[in-house]
Amino acid sequence: MILFSSLGDGYVWRALLEVVIVGVLCGAVGVHVVLRRLSFLTMALTHATFPGVVIATMLGLGLVLGAGLFGVLLVAVVAALTGPRGAEHGRETSSVTAVVLSGGFALGMALMSTQEGFSRDLTAFLVGSVLTVQPSDLVVSAVTTAVVLGVLAALRKELHLAAFDPGAFAAAGYPARRLDLVLLLALEATVVTSLPAVGTIMAVALIVGPAATARLWCSRTATMTAMAIVVGVAAGVIGLAVSEQWNVAAGGAIVLSVAAFFVASLVLQSLPWGEPVAAAVARRKSAGRPTYSG
Amino acid sequence: MSRPAAIVFDQASVAYGRVPALEQVHGTVHQGEIVALVGPNGAGKSTLIKALLGLVPVASGSISVLGRPPALARRQVAYVPQADTLDPDFPVSVAQVVLMGRYRRIGWLRPPGRADRDAAAEALAAVGLAHRAADRFGTLSGGQRQRVLLARAIAAQPAALLLDEPFNGVDAVSQEALLATIRALAAGGAAVVVSTHDLGLAQLTCDGICLLNRHQFGFGPPGEVLTPDLLRAAYGGAALELGDRGLIVARS
Ligand SMILES: Nc1ncnc2c1ncn2[C@@H]1O[C@H](COP(=O)(O)OP(=O)(O)OP(=O)(O)O)[C@@H](O)[C@H]1O
Ligand SMILES: [Mg+2]
């Protein structure tokens, strides 16, 4: 395979490292996105982060830094617009989300149209450019991943309960809104971090895809998380190999392999013997030990 | 019964924004008592439970839970939602759901310990579902899921237990199992408030009845509250009749 023979080149190593890091991050965060049905919100965040990239370019800021700052602003706007979640006064989220999505994207396009020379650089941020990842990008990705995974692990009890039973979570006196905000920030950090690898648009596939695939097979959140991470990393590595082998765009190849995992899982489960296999897998995983683990 | 008061309503009114949902609730639930909230759809039963959890503000008068304002008592209050409001596909085991009842006690950042697992296992055994511990929550029947949620509440060892229509869609046997567990918890000193549409059940099993329809029509022992006059007043006229052998619900 060309991927392995070309590992001598530094840029391929960096790309490989980047897709592994991003695969881990997206897989782990995606579990929360899928369990809380936030896929659409994630899509909105990825699209609305796009103008941040354009503004950062215009101001000459670092792209990831610019997008990150804009992302935090965006999260604040979304949180303010949707109102207290769970409370009946909260606005209907999906229409707010849709407006944020298209508005953000339109703003990015409008800004971009005023800056003729930039259009080529910026397409890299729409569809990704993992082969040009710089060592500094790798450091940013690694640090973000460590921080986000740390936060998710530290809050896993509370995140699990809040996702499963938001009513009981609020009734127990937990600060539901603040936890939502933490998750939203983790999600936006993930979007910004996966920008170099797959771009704003396809980041949503890398976040939602592996977790949605794992959900089809797993009956525990812990196993689902592990499988989502494995699928995220595998899709990244396979996509990169395909891209090196046949010279197709890496971002596209990565997202296509995510889609392949998901579709293959759907097909396997819809085959006559798919259900029993999935059930047997689930049973074997849980057999014997009554898992009172959080 | 002169046990200490656990929940005290003092001319309490509850409002969503400026629209009053429930007015003039006045009465006391003592430790070890089971009080049923009854009334027609939209009467304000769920609203009163939300007020007891501090999720809806008290507009006038006051509600005190375990001697404190509702929002400050939540750590000692357990709430049992209707099982059918939860996602049956969620990847979580029965044992994990019950363990969730311990989370508040365990606190942030710390993992569950031996004592928490034991309490969860014991609570699950109390509702008769110990053998389903390793199964996914969604694979249980509706009545069994309701019992698991009750086990979760028991695992929290609450001083007050609030249940919103726990008997909906639950067969007679599961109902009996739920009731036995609730009674055991009350016998241990917990105050229990349960909303229900089953007047017969409320009459036979509860120490007190709170009859509601936008305001309070009665609060006291079943014999004093479930009278034809009060029921007709609360349910708006013709719907209910009482016979001499227990309760007969009929249309006239
Ligand atoms: N979030 C809300 N905002 C405004 N009004 C509400 C809200 N929730 C309930 N209400 C109103 O408060 C009243 C009481 O509703 P509640 O849900 O407490 O009734 P309930 O007794 O639980 O009825 P049911 O038997 O149907 O469950 C209703 O008239 C309802 O319209
Ligand atoms: Mg109700």
Side-chain angles (χ1 to χ4, degrees):
Chain A
M1 282 213 314
I2 294 178
L3 176 65
F4 295 117
S5 58
S6 62
L7 277 178
D9 302 337
Y11 78 93
V12 182
W13 264 117
R14 288 198 295 272
L16 194 59
L17 210 53
E18 174 74 7
V19 296
V20 169
I21 295 173
V22 167
V24 170
L25 177 60
C26 288
V29 170
V31 168
H32 296 275
V33 168
V34 167
L35 289 182
R36 289 176 172 235
R37 304 169 195 274
L38 296 178
S39 304
F40 190 50
L41 177 70
T42 306
M43 183 140 121
L45 284 183
T46 55
H47 281 65
T49 303
F50 174 54
V53 176
V54 182
I55 293 169
T57 312
M58 288 164 63
L59 299 180
L61 288 170
L63 288 188
V64 169
L65 177 70
L69 289 177
F70 191 78
V72 171
L73 186 72
L74 197 67
V75 165
V77 170
V78 170
L81 284 181
T82 50
R85 190 201 64 168
E88 281 87 326
H89 303 295
R91 288 185 196 75
E92 199 249 317
T93 327
S94 66
S95 43
V96 172
T97 311
V99 172
V100 170
L101 186 157
S102 39
F105 199 69
L107 177 62
M109 295 307 277
L111 287 172
M112 207 161 95
S113 68
T114 66
Q115 309 286 317
E116 270 164 42
F118 289 165
S119 49
R120 234 186 68 245
D121 293 326
L122 289 168
T123 36
F125 273 84
L126 281 179
V127 296
S129 159
V130 73
L131 294 174
T132 60
V133 162
Q134 297 304 303
S136 60
D137 294 329
L138 278 180
V139 172
V140 171
S141 303
V143 171
T144 313
T145 302
V147 171
V148 169
L149 290 188
V151 169
L152 293 184
L155 299 177
R156 69 180 184 286
K157 289 202 313 295
E158 289 76 17
L159 286 169
H160 201 214
L161 175 56
F164 172 63
D165 190 349
F169 188 74
Y174 280 106
R177 266 208 100 180
R178 254 176 282 165
L179 194 74
D180 285 353
L181 201 61
V182 169
L183 188 61
L184 217 52
L185 284 173
L187 182 57
E188 181 60 29
T190 305
V191 168
V192 171
T193 303
S194 39
L195 283 186
V198 289
T200 39
I201 294 179
M202 289 192 269
V204 64
L206 204 52
I207 292 172
V208 176
T213 305
R215 168 131 207 204
L216 293 173
W217 296 102
C218 301
S219 61
R220 294 288 182 284
T221 309
T223 47
M224 179 179 163
T225 306
M227 184 173 173
I229 289 175
V230 169
V231 171
V233 170
V237 174
I238 292 171
L240 200 57
V242 166
S243 132
E244 284 293 278
Q245 189 88 27
W246 289 290
N247 204 20
V248 294
I254 291 171
V255 172
L256 279 178
S257 41
V258 171
F261 272 109
F262 184 68
V263 171
S265 297
L266 274 183
V267 170
L268 279 177
Q269 299 225 322
S270 66
L271 293 177
W273 41 269
E275 274 297 318
V277 170
V281 170
R283 221 176 303 120
R284 189 148 32 80
K285 270 183 202 136
S286 63
R289 46 193 177 95
T291 42
Y292 284 93
S293 55
Chain B
M1 224 197 293
S2 59
R3 296 211 225 177
I7 296 171
V8 181
F9 302 98
D10 183 12
Q11 301 297 346
S13 298
V14 183
Y16 290 101
R18 253 181 277 136
V19 189
L22 194 55
E23 290 171 299
Q24 305 288 310
V25 179
H26 193 82
T28 302
V29 184
H30 297 95
Q31 286 177 14
E33 267 181 359
I34 304 176
V35 168
L37 304 179
V38 299
N41 290 131
K45 303 181 293 294
S46 301
T47 301
L48 194 57
I49 287 180
K50 283 188 221 160
L52 285 171
L53 289 165
L55 298 177
V56 181
V58 178
S60 66
S62 76
I63 296 179
S64 119
V65 179
L66 308 169
R68 273 172 287 176
L72 299 182
R74 289 193 279 221
R75 275 160 197 262
Q76 281 150 283
V77 176
Y79 165 62
V80 181
Q82 261 184 262
D84 56 21
T85 59
L86 299 177
D87 176 6
D89 282 334
F90 202 93
V92 61
S93 72
V94 167
Q96 285 176 321
V97 172
V98 179
L99 193 60
M100 286 173 180
R102 303 290 296 179
Y103 283 4
R104 227 9 329 190
R105 236 164 227 279
I106 297 168
W108 296 88
L109 306 181
R110 307 225 316 272
R114 181 80 267 146
D116 301 306
R117 282 164 224 287
D118 290 349
E122 205 178 302
L124 192 57
V127 299
L129 286 172
H131 60 291
R132 302 299 299 269
D135 293 345
R136 188 164 59 77
F137 179 70
T139 62
L140 272 57
S141 77
Q144 290 171 328
R145 276 181 233 167
Q146 197 66 62
R147 278 150 71 187
V148 171
L149 294 182
L150 181 59
R152 179 177 74 177
I154 294 170
Q157 296 165 342
L161 178 66
L162 312 177
L163 306 99
D164 200 356
E165 298 190 24
F167 306 115
N168 277 8
V170 174
D171 70 47
V173 176
S174 289
Q175 227 176 62
E176 204 38 60
L178 276 173
L179 269 174
T181 317
I182 293 170
R183 279 201 210 95
L185 200 71
V192 179
V193 174
V194 51
S195 82
T196 178
H197 284 290
D198 189 336
L199 295 179
L201 195 80
Q203 184 184 38
L204 292 176
T205 62
C206 294
D207 305 301
I209 305 285
C210 174
L211 179 61
L212 300 169
N213 190 4
R214 313 312 297 248
H215 64 96
Q216 179 178 303
F217 284 80
F219 196 135
E224 290 172 23
V225 177
L226 294 178
T227 62
D229 288 344
L230 286 179
L231 283 173
R232 257 185 231 113
Y235 281 81
L240 301 141
E241 288 297 328
L242 275 180
D244 21 81
R245 286 180 299 124
L247 191 81
I248 296 165
V249 181
R251 247 163 235 295
S252 59

